[in-house]
Amino acid sequence: MLPAGPAPADTTGNWVDRRAPSFLRPFLRLARADRPIGSWLLLIPCLWSVALALRLQADAGTPDYGHAAVLVALFAIGAVAMRGAGCTWNDILDRDIDGRVERTRSRPLPAGQVTLAGAFVFLGLQGLAGLAVLLCLPPFAIATALASLGVVVIYPLMKRVIWVPQAVLGLAFSWGALMGFAALIEALPPSAFLLYAGSVLWVIGYDTIYAHQDREDDETVGVKSSARFFAGATKRWLVGLYGGTVVLFALAIGAAGGGVFAWLGLALFAAHLAWQIRRVDIDDGGNCLRVFLSNRDAGLILFAGLAVQALAA
Protein backbone atom coordinates (compact mmCIF):
# COMPACT_ATOMS: atom_id res chain seq x y z
CA MET A 1 0.00 0.00 0.00
CA LEU A 2 1.39 3.39 -1.03
CA PRO A 3 1.31 6.20 1.54
CA ALA A 4 -1.58 8.65 1.42
CA GLY A 5 0.93 11.52 1.32
CA PRO A 6 0.22 15.23 1.48
CA ALA A 7 -2.70 16.87 -0.22
CA PRO A 8 -1.94 18.41 -3.63
CA ALA A 9 -0.64 21.96 -3.52
CA ASP A 10 -3.77 23.33 -5.19
CA THR A 11 -6.13 22.19 -2.44
CA THR A 12 -6.80 23.21 1.12
CA GLY A 13 -8.30 21.31 4.04
CA ASN A 14 -11.43 19.49 2.87
CA TRP A 15 -13.59 16.48 3.63
CA VAL A 16 -11.13 14.10 1.93
CA ASP A 17 -8.34 15.13 4.30
CA ARG A 18 -10.59 15.25 7.36
CA ARG A 19 -12.86 12.23 6.98
CA ALA A 20 -11.91 9.84 4.18
CA PRO A 21 -9.97 6.66 5.09
CA SER A 22 -6.27 7.15 4.39
CA PHE A 23 -6.12 4.37 1.77
CA LEU A 24 -8.87 6.07 -0.26
CA ARG A 25 -7.51 9.62 -0.15
CA PRO A 26 -5.12 9.34 -3.12
CA PHE A 27 -7.88 7.94 -5.34
CA LEU A 28 -10.37 10.57 -4.22
CA ARG A 29 -7.78 13.24 -4.99
CA LEU A 30 -7.17 11.62 -8.37
CA ALA A 31 -10.88 12.03 -9.09
CA ARG A 32 -10.79 15.60 -7.64
CA ALA A 33 -13.42 14.65 -5.07
CA ASP A 34 -11.73 17.19 -2.81
CA ARG A 35 -12.65 19.89 -5.35
CA PRO A 36 -16.28 19.46 -6.45
CA ILE A 37 -16.26 22.62 -8.58
CA GLY A 38 -15.47 20.58 -11.70
CA SER A 39 -18.49 18.34 -11.15
CA TRP A 40 -20.67 21.42 -10.72
CA LEU A 41 -19.36 22.98 -13.93
CA LEU A 42 -19.94 19.74 -15.82
CA LEU A 43 -23.46 19.40 -14.39
CA ILE A 44 -24.66 22.96 -14.89
CA PRO A 45 -25.06 22.81 -18.72
CA CYS A 46 -27.10 19.63 -18.15
CA LEU A 47 -29.37 21.55 -15.78
CA TRP A 48 -29.81 24.38 -18.26
CA SER A 49 -30.74 21.97 -21.03
CA VAL A 50 -33.24 20.06 -18.89
CA ALA A 51 -34.92 23.34 -17.95
CA LEU A 52 -35.13 24.56 -21.56
CA ALA A 53 -36.32 21.17 -22.81
CA LEU A 54 -38.98 21.14 -20.09
CA ARG A 55 -40.07 24.59 -21.25
CA LEU A 56 -40.51 23.24 -24.78
CA GLN A 57 -42.57 20.37 -23.36
CA ALA A 58 -44.70 22.80 -21.37
CA ASP A 59 -45.38 24.91 -24.45
CA ALA A 60 -46.47 21.73 -26.23
CA GLY A 61 -48.79 20.91 -23.32
CA THR A 62 -46.88 17.76 -22.29
CA PRO A 63 -44.51 18.71 -19.46
CA ASP A 64 -43.05 15.68 -17.68
CA TYR A 65 -41.82 17.13 -14.40
CA GLY A 66 -41.15 13.75 -12.84
CA HIS A 67 -38.93 12.67 -15.73
CA ALA A 68 -37.08 15.98 -15.58
CA ALA A 69 -36.41 15.53 -11.85
CA VAL A 70 -35.08 12.00 -12.42
CA LEU A 71 -32.80 13.30 -15.17
CA VAL A 72 -31.39 15.95 -12.86
CA ALA A 73 -30.51 13.23 -10.35
CA LEU A 74 -28.99 10.98 -13.02
CA PHE A 75 -26.96 13.81 -14.51
CA ALA A 76 -25.66 14.74 -11.06
CA ILE A 77 -24.39 11.20 -10.52
CA GLY A 78 -23.01 11.04 -14.04
CA ALA A 79 -21.24 14.40 -13.67
CA VAL A 80 -19.38 13.22 -10.57
CA ALA A 81 -18.40 9.90 -12.19
CA MET A 82 -17.36 11.31 -15.55
CA ARG A 83 -15.58 14.34 -14.14
CA GLY A 84 -13.60 11.98 -11.93
CA ALA A 85 -12.83 9.73 -14.89
CA GLY A 86 -11.79 12.72 -16.98
CA CYS A 87 -9.46 13.99 -14.26
CA THR A 88 -7.95 10.53 -13.83
CA TRP A 89 -7.35 10.24 -17.57
CA ASN A 90 -5.87 13.75 -17.62
CA ASP A 91 -3.50 12.91 -14.76
CA ILE A 92 -2.41 9.65 -16.43
CA LEU A 93 -1.40 11.54 -19.56
CA ASP A 94 0.05 14.54 -17.70
CA ARG A 95 1.87 12.75 -14.90
CA ASP A 96 5.30 13.88 -16.10
CA ILE A 97 4.21 17.48 -16.71
CA ASP A 98 2.39 17.66 -13.36
CA GLY A 99 5.61 16.68 -11.61
CA ARG A 100 7.28 19.84 -12.94
CA VAL A 101 4.51 22.30 -12.01
CA GLU A 102 4.44 23.74 -8.50
CA ARG A 103 0.64 23.58 -8.13
CA THR A 104 0.34 19.97 -9.32
CA ARG A 105 3.56 18.20 -8.38
CA SER A 106 2.03 16.61 -5.27
CA ARG A 107 -0.93 15.09 -7.12
CA PRO A 108 -1.24 11.33 -6.55
CA LEU A 109 0.49 10.07 -9.70
CA PRO A 110 3.58 12.32 -9.82
CA ALA A 111 3.90 12.03 -6.03
CA GLY A 112 3.85 8.22 -6.24
CA GLN A 113 0.74 7.81 -4.08
CA VAL A 114 -1.06 5.85 -6.83
CA THR A 115 0.57 3.49 -9.33
CA LEU A 116 -0.13 3.84 -13.03
CA ALA A 117 -1.86 0.45 -13.04
CA GLY A 118 -3.98 1.49 -10.07
CA ALA A 119 -4.97 4.69 -11.89
CA PHE A 120 -6.13 2.70 -14.93
CA VAL A 121 -8.21 0.37 -12.76
CA PHE A 122 -9.76 3.35 -11.00
CA LEU A 123 -10.47 4.94 -14.39
CA GLY A 124 -12.30 1.81 -15.46
CA LEU A 125 -14.44 1.73 -12.31
CA GLN A 126 -15.50 5.33 -12.81
CA GLY A 127 -16.27 4.58 -16.44
CA LEU A 128 -18.54 1.73 -15.36
CA ALA A 129 -20.39 4.08 -13.02
CA GLY A 130 -20.90 6.51 -15.88
CA LEU A 131 -22.07 3.67 -18.12
CA ALA A 132 -24.64 2.61 -15.51
CA VAL A 133 -26.11 6.13 -15.61
CA LEU A 134 -26.01 6.20 -19.41
CA LEU A 135 -27.99 2.97 -19.70
CA CYS A 136 -30.84 4.62 -17.78
CA LEU A 137 -31.34 7.08 -20.65
CA PRO A 138 -33.27 6.61 -23.93
CA PRO A 139 -31.35 5.38 -27.01
CA PHE A 140 -31.17 8.84 -28.61
CA ALA A 141 -29.57 10.27 -25.47
CA ILE A 142 -27.13 7.33 -25.26
CA ALA A 143 -26.02 7.96 -28.85
CA THR A 144 -25.67 11.68 -28.16
CA ALA A 145 -23.51 11.01 -25.09
CA LEU A 146 -21.28 8.50 -26.88
CA ALA A 147 -20.58 11.08 -29.59
CA SER A 148 -18.65 13.11 -26.99
CA LEU A 149 -16.10 10.42 -26.15
CA GLY A 150 -13.59 11.39 -28.83
CA VAL A 151 -13.40 14.97 -27.58
CA VAL A 152 -13.04 13.79 -23.98
CA VAL A 153 -10.20 11.43 -24.85
CA ILE A 154 -8.13 13.93 -26.82
CA TYR A 155 -8.56 16.98 -24.59
CA PRO A 156 -5.58 16.34 -22.26
CA LEU A 157 -3.29 16.15 -25.30
CA MET A 158 -4.38 19.48 -26.76
CA LYS A 159 -2.14 21.61 -24.54
CA ARG A 160 0.77 20.11 -26.47
CA VAL A 161 -0.76 20.99 -29.85
CA ILE A 162 -2.89 24.15 -29.91
CA TRP A 163 -2.61 27.49 -28.16
CA VAL A 164 -6.17 27.46 -26.83
CA PRO A 165 -6.76 23.92 -25.53
CA GLN A 166 -9.60 25.43 -23.48
CA ALA A 167 -11.63 25.38 -26.70
CA VAL A 168 -11.52 21.58 -26.71
CA LEU A 169 -12.34 21.54 -23.00
CA GLY A 170 -15.34 23.70 -23.84
CA LEU A 171 -16.53 21.19 -26.43
CA ALA A 172 -16.29 18.41 -23.83
CA PHE A 173 -17.57 20.21 -20.73
CA SER A 174 -20.53 21.75 -22.57
CA TRP A 175 -21.90 18.46 -23.91
CA GLY A 176 -24.51 18.47 -21.15
CA ALA A 177 -26.15 21.40 -22.94
CA LEU A 178 -27.29 18.82 -25.51
CA MET A 179 -28.02 15.99 -23.11
CA GLY A 180 -31.08 17.44 -21.39
CA PHE A 181 -32.83 17.83 -24.73
CA ALA A 182 -31.68 14.42 -25.93
CA ALA A 183 -32.94 12.70 -22.78
CA LEU A 184 -36.17 14.61 -22.15
CA ILE A 185 -37.58 15.28 -25.63
CA GLU A 186 -35.28 12.93 -27.63
CA ALA A 187 -34.43 15.66 -30.13
CA LEU A 188 -31.90 18.44 -30.60
CA PRO A 189 -33.77 21.62 -31.56
CA PRO A 190 -32.01 24.90 -32.48
CA SER A 191 -32.07 26.05 -28.84
CA ALA A 192 -29.90 23.05 -27.90
CA PHE A 193 -27.11 23.99 -30.31
CA LEU A 194 -27.30 27.67 -29.35
CA LEU A 195 -27.04 26.72 -25.68
CA TYR A 196 -24.12 24.42 -26.46
CA ALA A 197 -22.23 27.08 -28.43
CA GLY A 198 -22.74 29.64 -25.67
CA SER A 199 -21.54 27.18 -23.06
CA VAL A 200 -18.37 26.48 -25.05
CA LEU A 201 -17.50 30.20 -24.92
CA TRP A 202 -18.30 30.31 -21.20
CA VAL A 203 -15.94 27.39 -20.53
CA ILE A 204 -13.12 28.97 -22.54
CA GLY A 205 -13.58 32.14 -20.52
CA TYR A 206 -13.62 30.68 -17.04
CA ASP A 207 -10.87 28.16 -17.74
CA THR A 208 -8.66 30.93 -19.09
CA ILE A 209 -9.04 32.64 -15.71
CA TYR A 210 -8.13 29.36 -14.00
CA ALA A 211 -5.15 28.80 -16.30
CA HIS A 212 -3.54 32.09 -15.27
CA GLN A 213 -2.53 30.35 -12.03
CA ASP A 214 -0.12 28.20 -14.07
CA ARG A 215 0.94 30.71 -16.71
CA GLU A 216 4.59 30.89 -15.71
CA ASP A 217 4.89 27.15 -15.06
CA ASP A 218 3.27 26.38 -18.41
CA GLU A 219 5.81 28.58 -20.14
CA THR A 220 8.67 26.85 -18.32
CA VAL A 221 7.37 23.37 -19.10
CA GLY A 222 6.48 24.31 -22.67
CA VAL A 223 2.75 23.60 -22.76
CA LYS A 224 0.22 25.90 -24.39
CA SER A 225 -2.82 27.60 -22.83
CA SER A 226 -5.19 30.45 -23.51
CA ALA A 227 -3.69 32.24 -20.50
CA ARG A 228 -0.32 32.36 -22.27
CA PHE A 229 -1.91 33.15 -25.64
CA PHE A 230 -4.20 35.94 -24.42
CA ALA A 231 -1.64 37.18 -21.85
CA GLY A 232 -2.17 40.86 -21.01
CA ALA A 233 -5.17 41.06 -23.35
CA THR A 234 -7.10 38.51 -21.30
CA LYS A 235 -9.75 40.96 -20.09
CA ARG A 236 -10.51 42.03 -23.66
CA TRP A 237 -10.82 38.39 -24.68
CA LEU A 238 -13.12 37.77 -21.73
CA VAL A 239 -15.37 40.60 -22.88
CA GLY A 240 -15.70 38.86 -26.24
CA LEU A 241 -16.07 35.34 -24.86
CA TYR A 242 -18.52 36.21 -22.12
CA GLY A 243 -20.36 38.65 -24.38
CA GLY A 244 -20.77 35.91 -26.98
CA THR A 245 -21.97 33.57 -24.24
CA VAL A 246 -24.76 35.95 -23.25
CA VAL A 247 -25.82 36.59 -26.86
CA LEU A 248 -25.98 32.87 -27.69
CA PHE A 249 -27.86 32.10 -24.49
CA ALA A 250 -30.33 34.87 -25.30
CA LEU A 251 -30.91 33.29 -28.72
CA ALA A 252 -31.33 29.87 -27.08
CA ILE A 253 -33.85 31.22 -24.57
CA GLY A 254 -35.73 33.05 -27.32
CA ALA A 255 -35.85 29.90 -29.44
CA ALA A 256 -37.26 28.01 -26.44
CA GLY A 257 -40.04 30.53 -25.84
CA GLY A 258 -38.45 33.23 -23.68
CA GLY A 259 -40.27 34.32 -20.55
CA VAL A 260 -39.71 36.93 -17.86
CA PHE A 261 -38.03 34.58 -15.37
CA ALA A 262 -35.69 33.19 -18.01
CA TRP A 263 -34.68 36.69 -19.10
CA LEU A 264 -34.20 37.76 -15.50
CA GLY A 265 -31.95 34.74 -14.89
CA LEU A 266 -29.92 35.62 -17.98
CA ALA A 267 -29.61 39.27 -16.91
CA LEU A 268 -28.27 38.25 -13.49
CA PHE A 269 -25.93 35.74 -15.13
CA ALA A 270 -24.62 38.46 -17.45
CA ALA A 271 -24.12 40.82 -14.51
CA HIS A 272 -22.09 38.13 -12.75
CA LEU A 273 -19.87 37.65 -15.80
CA ALA A 274 -19.32 41.40 -15.99
CA TRP A 275 -18.34 41.37 -12.32
CA GLN A 276 -15.82 38.60 -13.03
CA ILE A 277 -14.16 40.61 -15.79
CA ARG A 278 -13.91 43.64 -13.54
CA ARG A 279 -12.72 41.66 -10.52
CA VAL A 280 -10.15 39.29 -12.01
CA ASP A 281 -6.45 40.04 -11.56
CA ILE A 282 -4.49 37.75 -13.87
CA ASP A 283 -1.29 38.31 -11.88
CA ASP A 284 -2.83 37.09 -8.62
CA GLY A 285 -3.28 33.31 -8.55
CA GLY A 286 -5.52 33.38 -5.49
CA ASN A 287 -7.78 35.96 -7.11
CA CYS A 288 -7.98 33.91 -10.31
CA LEU A 289 -9.02 30.84 -8.34
CA ARG A 290 -11.74 32.72 -6.45
CA VAL A 291 -13.17 34.26 -9.61
CA PHE A 292 -13.08 30.90 -11.38
CA LEU A 293 -14.91 29.21 -8.50
CA SER A 294 -17.66 31.83 -8.64
CA ASN A 295 -18.83 30.41 -11.98
CA ARG A 296 -20.77 27.76 -10.10
CA ASP A 297 -22.94 30.52 -8.65
CA ALA A 298 -23.29 32.21 -12.03
CA GLY A 299 -24.45 28.97 -13.63
CA LEU A 300 -26.92 28.19 -10.85
CA ILE A 301 -28.40 31.69 -11.08
CA LEU A 302 -29.18 31.13 -14.73
CA PHE A 303 -30.56 27.67 -14.00
CA ALA A 304 -32.88 29.09 -11.36
CA GLY A 305 -34.36 31.50 -13.87
CA LEU A 306 -34.78 28.81 -16.52
CA ALA A 307 -36.29 26.33 -14.05
CA VAL A 308 -38.81 28.80 -12.64
CA GLN A 309 -39.79 29.74 -16.19
CA ALA A 310 -40.32 26.10 -17.13
CA LEU A 311 -42.51 25.55 -14.07
CA ALA A 312 -44.45 28.77 -14.66
CA ALA A 313 -45.04 27.85 -18.30
Side-chain angles (χ1 to χ4, degrees), residues 130-242:
L131 178 61
V133 171
L134 191 62
L135 293 177
C136 296
L137 302 179
F140 183 78
I142 293 174
T144 302
L146 292 176
S148 71
L149 290 181
V151 178
V152 173
V153 168
I154 67 170
Y155 162 67
L157 301 172
M158 290 299 99
K159 64 173 69 71
R160 301 162 174 84
V161 180
I162 61 175
W163 272 106
V164 187
Q166 282 75 14
V168 183
L169 178 68
L171 295 175
F173 251 61
S174 298
W175 209 264
L178 304 176
M179 289 303 301
F181 294 94
L184 192 61
I185 64 174
E186 299 187 50
L188 294 175
S191 52
F193 293 104
L194 290 165
L195 186 69
Y196 177 69
S199 182
V200 170
L201 296 184
W202 180 54
V203 174
I204 297 172
Y206 71 59
D207 203 63
T208 294
I209 293 172
Y210 185 81
H212 270 287
Q213 297 175 92
D214 298 330
R215 189 177 67 237
E216 294 180 1
D217 283 329
D218 287 346
E219 185 173 358
T220 299
V221 174
V223 297
K224 300 176 174 66
S225 77
S226 56
R228 290 185 63 199
F229 185 69
F230 299 159
T234 289
K235 286 202 175 189
R236 292 195 292 275
W237 278 95
L238 287 175
V239 169
L241 290 165
Y242 280 172

Side-chain angles (χ1 to χ4, degrees), residues 22 28 44 47 53 72 76 102 105-106 111 124 128-129 136 146 169 176 186 212 229 232 248 275 295:
S22 60
L28 292 172
I44 283 170
L47 301 180
V72 167
E102 177 64 27
R105 65 180 51 176
S106 57
L128 288 175
C136 296
L146 292 176
L169 178 68
E186 299 187 50
H212 270 287
F229 185 69
L248 288 166
W275 170 85
N295 278 281

